[in-house]
Structure formats: C-alpha cells, structure tokens
Amino acid sequence: MIEKNYKEDFPLLQTNKTIYIDNAATAQKPAVVIEAEKRFYEESNANPLRGFYPLSLAATEAYEDARKVVRDFIHADSEKEIIFTRNTTESLNLVAYSYACSHLKAGDEIAVSIMEHHSNILPWQMAARMTGATVRYLNCEKDGTLTDETLAAGINEKTKLVAIGQVSNVLGCVNPIKKISKLAHAVGAVIVVDAAQSAPHMPIDVKDLDADFLAFSGHKLMGPMGIGVLYGKEALLEEMPPFMTGGEMIQSVTTEGAVWAELPHKFEAGTVNAAGAAGLAAAISYINKIGFETIEQRELELTRHAMEGLAKIPHVHVIGSEDPANHTGIVAFTIDNVHPHDVSEIMAADGIDVRAGHHCAQPLLTYLKVYNTTRASFMFYNTIEEIDAFVETVANVRRRMGYGE
Ligand code: PMP
C-alpha cells in the first residue's frame, strides 16, 4: 500500500521533519485548508450575515456554502440542522444548557459511557446539578465493548438522554451508535453523539445513525481550530431555547425581549468564524477527494503495523481491543515502571510527537486502573517508516531509563 506521499499536501510536514503521531489531539492542515482560510480574508472579509454590500454578501456566501458542505458530509436533511460552534466542547455544552436544562427534571437519568472525554461528561454533570437529574455511567469491558446487559440496565424508563462517543479517544474503539440510538429512542430518550474522533476517520450518516444530536471539531479533521459543528434534528432545535444571546440570533428586539432568528442562526450569537467555516469546507472537500475507503485502509494498515511491532516488545501493554480494526488509528499503551511523561520526553528527543497523560478521560482510566498512558494516533498521511521509528524508540525506552531490558 501507501503509494502516494500525502505529506506533500501538508506545508508543516514539509518544513518540519517531526514524526507527528498526535493526530487525535489535532490533525495537521493541508495547504488547501490554509489557502481557503487565507482566501476568505484576502477576498471576502466583511462581517457575514449583516451587510448588503458585495463584500458582506461574499462573506455570507462563503459561510453558508460551508454549511452546505457540512450538511452533505454528514448526510443531514437540511442546512438548518447544522450549527457552527467553536468545537465539540461548545457543541455538547449547547445541548446540555439548551436541551437538557429545559427538558430534564429530578428523577430523570442521563446515561453516559465511562469512556467519554471530559467534554462529554462535564456538561451532563452540570445539567444534572441544575435539573436534579442523575448521571448514570455505562461501564465498558477492557476492550471498550458496552455489553447488551450494560446497555439494557443503563438505558431504562428513567433515561432521558444518552451521551456517547462514536470513537473513544483513548481506546479507539467504535461504539455501536445505531444500536444505542434504537435503545434510547425505545425509552423516549434522545441520543447525543460525540463524533470528535470518528468524523476524521469514517463516513457519518446522521439519518442512518438516527442521532438526535452529533458534535465534532473542525481541527481534528484537518480544518482550522475554532470551528466546530453541532448537528441537531430540526424538530428538536426548533423547540430549544437559545444557548447564547446577542447579535445576529434575533429577528427583532424590544426593551422587554426578543423574537429569535430562524434556524440555524438562533444558535449562532455574535460574529461568526466564517474564515474557519471556509477552511473546514476545504478540509471536507480534501477528505472527499481522497475518500474514506483509502483513509480507512491506510490507517488500518498503519495501526496494524504499530500494534504488531509493540506486541513484540517486553513490558509494553497496549490498552483496548486486540483488533487493530477497533482502534481507529489510536494506540494508547503503558510501559512497565516508566511514567508516560518520561516516555513522551524520550519520544520527543527522537523527534516523535505523542500525547501522554489521562487524555481528558480520567473516569475511564480510573475505571481501568491504568491512570496514565502514552498515546500514539495515526492519520492516513503517516508512513510505515514513521511507525517503524516510533516502535524502535518504544523498544529502547526502558533501556534508556536505566533498566536492563
Ligand atoms: N470528544 C472527544 C472524544 C475528543 O477526543 C475531544 C478532543 N480531544 C473532544 C471531545 C473535545 O474536542 P475539542 O477540544 O475540539 O472541543
């Protein structure tokens, strides 16, 4: 495999020879994305959705065109269902403040998987505190599996909202969203899908998943930082109150109150990140050009190669599934008696960028009794040679820390 050198598309990877395998934290940006953002400021910069002069109309067009690209990317019915936010975190908080706080009450339950990123835990803890509802955690098996028994017990007649990641940012496992949304809907609950780690790696069809809400960040799928997406079913978004109030999200304002703007603008208060949206649209077009089939195949091959290499090294333990296909390019591991911060410093000394720590998933690591790991995460633009260099450094960590082997 790996005929084309995709790194050529990424300016940073041309000028900086680092081995960047911290893609789950944020992805590198291809030139087409950087150019799209630059082009907005060079050719269309004005405040979108406000002026009637040509520049403002051009800015509005760039912003609204990007929304249509996102709509098609996740197969939503309407651009009214696509809300631009800053990131996944803001998208999930929007649902928590606007939907959960206005729909939940004491005695209700919010079902949250134990493997969630803090961004998909803390908003629900907050909503529970504000409404009197309870957060109920769905514990997973060591490989990330949520068993039928766990799901049946955790999603019950008290459940009003289920919050679940499509892919764990630590285990890399893919959760069965379609099945979980059926279970949620059977008890009258809504399902909120955190797609931060899935959107860059696999096709998403919100209708097929029957997701009520789905959130992702532009920066993890090679778009700019500061632009994110919340998808919501139109009927739900229609009846939800705004999350933030201010300019551009109203039809009219009096000294007593306001009539809110139509969707999606009701949820986009203040000046929007139009350049970021244009960059995100360029990232999606870039992904579409390569195709998820190629992306998935390359990332699986890289992951398999890494896991096979790590499996041969004594004292190294990969967490999660044994099947590389259930890792979505994410390989978190421990090395006996070496702290992940030391591992990542040794990696950095060899020019390899990985993440160390709890990966904003402390409840999962506490539950798994692992506490800290080193995480490598691959994208299709990584190469087999880079994986070999990574495995070789891992193989030498203990020796470099002063252990015999
Ligand atoms: N959910 C998951 C699964 C993530 O991996 C991340 C980012 N690490 C987030 C949510 C939060 O994304 P952001 O910081 O872009 O809001």
Side-chain angles (χ1 to χ4, degrees), residues 24-25 87-90 92 117 119-120 167-169 194 196-197 217 219-220 355 359-360 375:
N87 46 38
T88 306
T89 304
E90 185 174 305
L92 295 169
H117 187 279
S119 296
N120 202 21
V167 167
S168 154
N169 69 316
D194 174 353
Q197 293 295 347
S217 299
H219 70 94
K220 291 193 200 275
R355 175 91 183 261
H359 317 301
C360 301
R375 182 186 71 186

Side-chain angles (χ1 to χ4, degrees), residues 31-70:
V32 285
V33 167
I34 299 165
E35 274 154 26
E37 196 163 16
K38 185 163 164 269
R39 199 175 326 116
F40 177 87
Y41 286 121
E42 284 180 350
E43 295 175 14
S44 320
N45 182 53
N47 206 316
L49 310 159
R50 279 167 164 78
F52 292 102
Y53 52 91
L55 259 189
S56 180
L57 295 177
T60 304
E61 193 177 311
Y63 185 60
E64 293 303 330
D65 282 353
R67 201 188 303 277
K68 291 181 190 138
V69 171
V70 173

Side-chain angles (χ1 to χ4, degrees), residues 62-248:
Y63 185 60
E64 293 303 330
D65 282 353
R67 201 188 303 277
K68 291 181 190 138
V69 171
V70 173
R71 175 201 62 196
D72 294 345
F73 183 58
I74 58 172
H75 301 95
D77 273 336
S78 159
E79 55 269 29
K80 288 184 184 172
E81 301 181 312
I82 307 299
I83 316 289
F84 281 123
T85 61
R86 283 189 304 133
N87 46 38
T88 306
T89 304
E90 185 174 305
S91 299
L92 295 169
N93 273 277
L94 192 163
V95 181
Y97 276 97
S98 173
Y99 181 86
C101 288
S102 63
H103 285 74
L104 271 58
K105 56 178 187 334
D108 290 342
E109 286 186 5
I110 306 172
V112 180
S113 102
I114 193 73
M115 74 184 90
E116 297 310 304
H117 187 279
H118 297 163
S119 296
N120 202 21
I121 295 179
L122 297 180
W124 312 120
Q125 291 183 353
M126 179 281 302
R129 273 196 300 276
M130 287 177 69
T131 60
T134 311
V135 175
R136 179 172 180 144
Y137 291 97
L138 309 175
N139 289 340
C140 60
E141 304 302 296
K142 273 184 130 172
D143 64 355
T145 304
L146 292 161
T147 64
D148 288 344
E149 295 71 38
T150 300
L151 292 172
I155 302 174
N156 56 58
E157 64 291 347
K158 288 187 187 159
T159 313
K160 293 292 175 291
L161 189 147
V162 180
I164 177 95
Q166 191 166 16
V167 167
S168 154
N169 69 316
V170 178
L171 303 171
C173 59
V174 185
N175 285 316
I177 299 298
K178 240 174 125 163
K179 173 165 130 184
I180 298 172
S181 74
K182 274 202 190 90
L183 293 170
H185 293 147
V187 296
V190 294
I191 177 164
V192 184
V193 181
D194 174 353
Q197 293 295 347
S198 53
H201 304 288
M202 60 190 64
I204 291 180
D205 183 327
V206 287
K207 292 211 295 290
D208 184 50
L209 296 174
D210 204 5
D212 296 298
F213 299 99
L214 182 136
F216 63 93
S217 299
H219 70 94
K220 291 193 200 275
L221 51 90
M222 299 178 287
M225 293 187 183
I227 187 82
V229 171
L230 173 69
Y231 159 83
K233 282 184 182 161
E234 190 175 339
L236 292 169
L237 293 174
E238 276 298 352
E239 48 106 7
M240 283 159 54
F243 168 42
M244 283 196 279
T245 52
E248 261 329 297

Side-chain angles (χ1 to χ4, degrees), residues 157-350:
E157 64 291 347
K158 288 187 187 159
T159 313
K160 293 292 175 291
L161 189 147
V162 180
I164 177 95
Q166 191 166 16
V167 167
S168 154
N169 69 316
V170 178
L171 303 171
C173 59
V174 185
N175 285 316
I177 299 298
K178 240 174 125 163
K179 173 165 130 184
I180 298 172
S181 74
K182 274 202 190 90
L183 293 170
H185 293 147
V187 296
V190 294
I191 177 164
V192 184
V193 181
D194 174 353
Q197 293 295 347
S198 53
H201 304 288
M202 60 190 64
I204 291 180
D205 183 327
V206 287
K207 292 211 295 290
D208 184 50
L209 296 174
D210 204 5
D212 296 298
F213 299 99
L214 182 136
F216 63 93
S217 299
H219 70 94
K220 291 193 200 275
L221 51 90
M222 299 178 287
M225 293 187 183
I227 187 82
V229 171
L230 173 69
Y231 159 83
K233 282 184 182 161
E234 190 175 339
L236 292 169
L237 293 174
E238 276 298 352
E239 48 106 7
M240 283 159 54
F243 168 42
M244 283 196 279
T245 52
E248 261 329 297
M249 49 72 67
I250 48 87
Q251 260 172 32
S252 60
V253 181
T254 64
T255 48
E256 277 74 46
V259 177
W260 310 132
E262 299 281 312
L263 289 176
H265 301 111
K266 180 170 81 172
F267 291 107
E268 294 180 356
T271 298
V272 297
N273 182 1
L280 172 58
I284 291 173
S285 303
Y286 178 70
I287 288 175
N288 288 341
K289 230 166 95 190
I290 297 169
F292 274 118
E293 212 178 300
T294 303
I295 290 173
E296 285 177 301
Q297 184 207 323
R298 288 177 72 107
E299 291 176 351
L300 176 57
E301 187 148 349
L302 294 166
T303 311
R304 181 175 291 128
H305 195 67
M307 287 176 67
E308 282 172 4
L310 295 181
K312 293 186 192 128
I313 310 172
H315 305 287
V316 171
H317 313 280
V318 171
I319 67 165
S321 172
E322 285 177 12
D323 180 0
N326 202 21
H327 273 267
T328 325
I330 292 174
V331 179
F333 60 96
T334 57
I335 303 179
D336 291 341
N337 300 320
V338 187
H339 193 280
H341 287 172
D342 290 325
V343 179
S344 75
E345 270 184 31
I346 289 172
M347 292 275 167
D350 288 1

